Amino acid sequence: MKAITIENLSFSYNGVEVLREINLEVEEGELVAILGPNGAGKSTLLRCIAGILRCRGVEVFGKPLERYSRNELAKIIAYVPQRTEPGFMTVFDTVLLGRRPYMGLRPSKEDLEATRRALERIGIAGLALKTTNKLSGGELQKVSIARALAQEPRILMLDEPTNNLDIRSQLEVMRFARDFSSEGGTSILVMHDVNLALRFARRFVFMKNGRIVADGGKEILKPSLFREVYGVDVVIEEIGGTPLVVPV
């Protein structure tokens, strides 16, 4: 089943076109990495799909995005931005905010349990009573992902999810995104770390100047593509069945 369908999507900020004629289909259960240089439009595309930016041409599970209420959409799509500002709430209460689409005036036993599960799955249950302004950047990033997980979404959208994370934490987050997809969810990640994306994703969307330049699996990974998208010459080797891109 198609989780997301985009037809001829264009988007402008203050009269400046940022996305141009985007066409994209994402199947349920896919893990898709969106790659490209700074200013390519990757984050803007993610925000359009998530319904944060108003646009036309996006369907989610066969229904136009604009026909969903904010609450309905929050039960389907969880979006994690590049940066989250710390505050004075505890980690537990911050992750509990992910349950807002389901909560009444007070959180239910199910809401509390979903929050605990999210903390445990991301590996930060030990931080539950700590306030977010006492966390490192990497810990704060994990809290944001746990909050998204608490929403129990069908589509997970992560914008630079490995920012501020050490190598071990990067691998943990990427494994989580992969597992989420293998369990039937859909993961869409905007990334700058090409080699980390190539290790975990099976489909890659390369963007430049607001357009999709290439879309496919490992077969599209050629030095000419990286020269076109990034303006650099690379050598592509394979280690243990995983492509490795080395700038020359």
Side-chain angles (χ1 to χ4, degrees):
M1 182 179 183
K2 288 182 175 59
I4 296 166
T5 304
I6 303 174
E7 292 186 357
N8 298 319
L9 169 65
S10 295
F11 186 83
S12 299
Y13 283 120
N14 300 320
V16 178
E17 195 172 39
V18 180
L19 298 177
R20 301 174 179 85
E21 300 175 358
I22 299 292
N23 292 281
L24 184 67
E25 292 183 348
V26 179
E27 297 287 338
E28 194 169 16
E30 280 196 287
L31 169 56
V32 180
I34 301 178
L35 302 160
N38 292 330
K42 305 183 299 298
S43 295
T44 299
L45 176 59
L46 211 63
R47 289 195 289 268
C48 283
I49 300 172
I52 296 168
L53 298 175
R54 292 191 175 187
C55 58
R56 292 188 176 273
V58 180
E59 289 187 356
V60 176
F61 293 110
K63 180 178 175 179
L65 197 63
E66 60 270 20
R67 293 187 187 174
Y68 284 95
S69 69
R70 302 299 299 180
N71 208 53
E72 288 173 333
L73 202 58
K75 293 179 180 179
I76 297 172
I77 297 177
Y79 167 79
V80 178
Q82 290 182 22
R83 298 177 187 84
T84 301
E85 293 300 321
F88 295 95
M89 294 177 67
T90 66
V91 168
F92 188 93
D93 287 340
T94 302
V95 175
L96 181 61
L97 289 175
R99 299 297 300 171
R100 281 186 297 184
Y102 305 93
M103 281 196 293
L105 294 176
R106 303 180 70 176
S108 66
K109 182 179 179 180
E110 184 180 344
D111 294 324
L112 297 175
E113 186 56 35
T115 300
R116 291 189 188 96
R117 286 198 304 269
L119 289 167
E120 289 171 1
R121 185 162 183 182
I122 301 301
I124 55 172
L127 300 176
L129 299 181
K130 203 170 184 179
T131 56
T132 57
N133 63 340
K134 302 294 185 181
L135 302 180
S136 68
E139 290 170 335
L140 190 60
Q141 185 77 343
K142 288 184 177 181
V143 171
S144 298
I145 295 171
R147 182 174 59 193
L149 181 60
Q151 288 178 232
E152 297 182 332
R154 297 174 68 184
I155 301 172
L156 184 64
M157 313 194 78
L158 307 177
D159 194 351
E160 289 295 329
T162 55
N163 271 358
N164 302 311
L165 299 183
D166 58 46
I167 294 175
R168 178 177 176 176
S169 295
Q170 288 177 8
L171 295 175
E172 289 173 350
V173 167
M174 294 301 292
R175 288 189 188 109
F176 163 70
R178 182 184 61 193
D179 292 346
F180 182 83
S181 296
S182 66
E183 293 165 5
T186 303
S187 301
I188 303 177
L189 286 65
V190 164
M191 299 190 68
H192 277 301
D193 190 329
V194 172
N195 286 317
L196 193 59
L198 299 188
R199 179 170 179 175
F200 287 91
R202 292 294 175 269
R203 182 177 171 194
F204 315 99
V205 175
F206 285 84
M207 295 184 65
K208 183 180 181 181
N209 297 329
R211 297 182 184 273
I212 292 177
V213 175
D215 176 7
K218 293 181 181 179
E219 73 280 354
I220 70 171
L221 303 176
K222 302 182 185 304
S224 58
L225 173 62
F226 288 89
R227 190 178 304 115
E228 178 184 1
V229 174
Y230 295 98
V232 296
D233 291 318
V234 303
V235 173
I236 302 175
E237 300 288 351
E238 196 165 289
I239 298 178
T242 299
L244 178 68
V245 177
V246 182
V248 177

